[in-house]
Every structure is written in structure tokens, then in C-alpha cells.
Amino acid sequence: MPDQLSLSSRQRDDLRTIAAMIVPASDEYKVPGADDPAIQAGMLATLGRDTGLVTAALDHLARLADQPLAELDAERRDAVAQEFRKHGGAAAAALVRVVLQCYYRDDRVLRSLGLELRAPFPKGYVLPDGDWSLLDPVKAKAGTLRRAP
């Protein structure tokens, strides 16, 4: 299982910088940016199958910037991000998806959106153990046999 060691120190720093550009912190809505340490830890812990694409995206950003993103002035960093967006392809899309998925899993962000920190079903109703009545409509259907491919 990939962990934070699958990215170099520079890649982790660039990930933190680009994440803050994608979702900056907001005092108005009382939410952290995507560069928040807890959100970053979640990203690094759950890269999984996206590790290759995220690494490719961060390598592409490094080539465009020619130095760590955090060291660029804001104008140059924005220019690099625009260029990356135009030509980053699937790697750029994967990087943005990873950042947003991890950001919107954070409890603070969910609360700010007015969402409850639990699954929406069964809306507070506890289903008794062993109550399989929800499956009655499925059991009532005739069985279907299909040839396996």
C-alpha cells in the first residue's frame, strides 16, 4: 500500500502548494485549504492506484516550474498552473481529482456544507439485527440463470 514515502520530499511540497491553489482556505466559511496537514496526510495515505498519475503530474509541474512551486512568485506560479492545465492530460485530471476527493472527505468541510458526518441511510433509524425484510422484494423475483462469459 503506497504511503507518503512513494512521493519525494519535493513532490510532497509541490502537492501541498498546488492543493492550496486548487482549494484555498476560507475564513468566511471557516474551512481549511487543501494544503491543511490533516488533508495532506489523507491524500498521501490514500493515493493507491493514482500514485503513478499523481507522480507524473507532479513531475510535469516540476519541469514547467524548474524549481519548487512554493518558491515561485504568485504570478509565475499561476502561469505554470495554467500551462499545466492545458497540457497535463490525464495526470492533471487525476491530481485534481485526488485533491478534491480528499478535501471533501474532511469532517470540517462536510460540516461547513451542512452535511452530517455519517451515512445518510437509515437517517437515524436502527435496523434490528436479523431483519431481512428489506430483501423480500428481491426474494420474490424469479431466479435468472445466465451463461457465464
Side-chain angles (χ1 to χ4, degrees):
M1 178 172 193
D3 59 15
Q4 63 183 354
L5 299 177
S6 55
L7 297 181
S8 70
S9 177
R10 177 178 172 162
Q11 287 173 325
R12 289 192 304 271
D13 291 344
D14 283 353
L15 176 61
R16 187 173 24 262
T17 302
I18 199 73
M21 292 174 71
I22 294 170
V23 185
S26 171
D27 291 333
E28 179 182 355
Y29 296 107
K30 297 177 180 60
V31 290
D35 61 335
D36 180 82
I39 295 170
Q40 286 290 302
M43 270 185 236
L44 295 172
T46 60
L47 280 176
R49 65 184 172 86
D50 292 315
T51 301
L53 283 171
V54 169
T55 301
L58 294 170
D59 289 345
H60 187 168
L61 277 166
R63 283 190 303 277
L64 290 172
D66 201 29
Q67 68 186 60
L69 287 174
E71 293 177 9
L72 296 175
D73 62 62
E75 186 176 318
R76 176 74 179 122
R77 195 172 22 219
D78 287 341
V80 166
Q82 291 299 327
E83 183 68 20
F84 176 65
R85 186 183 309 170
K86 286 181 198 171
H87 303 290
L95 177 63
V96 171
R97 180 175 39 78
V98 164
V99 169
L100 294 177
Q101 282 177 338
C102 290
Y103 181 75
Y104 286 105
R105 271 196 311 247
D106 188 82
D107 291 350
R108 297 164 292 177
V109 175
L110 291 174
R111 277 190 211 100
S112 77
L113 294 171
L115 298 174
E116 298 178 35
L117 303 180
R118 62 176 174 78
F121 181 81
K123 284 286 186 192
Y125 298 104
V126 177
L127 298 176
D129 286 338
D131 180 4
W132 297 99
S133 62
L134 290 174
L135 292 177
D136 288 344
V138 176
K139 289 179 186 177
K141 288 185 177 187
T144 304
L145 297 176
R146 293 191 179 125
R147 186 175 303 275

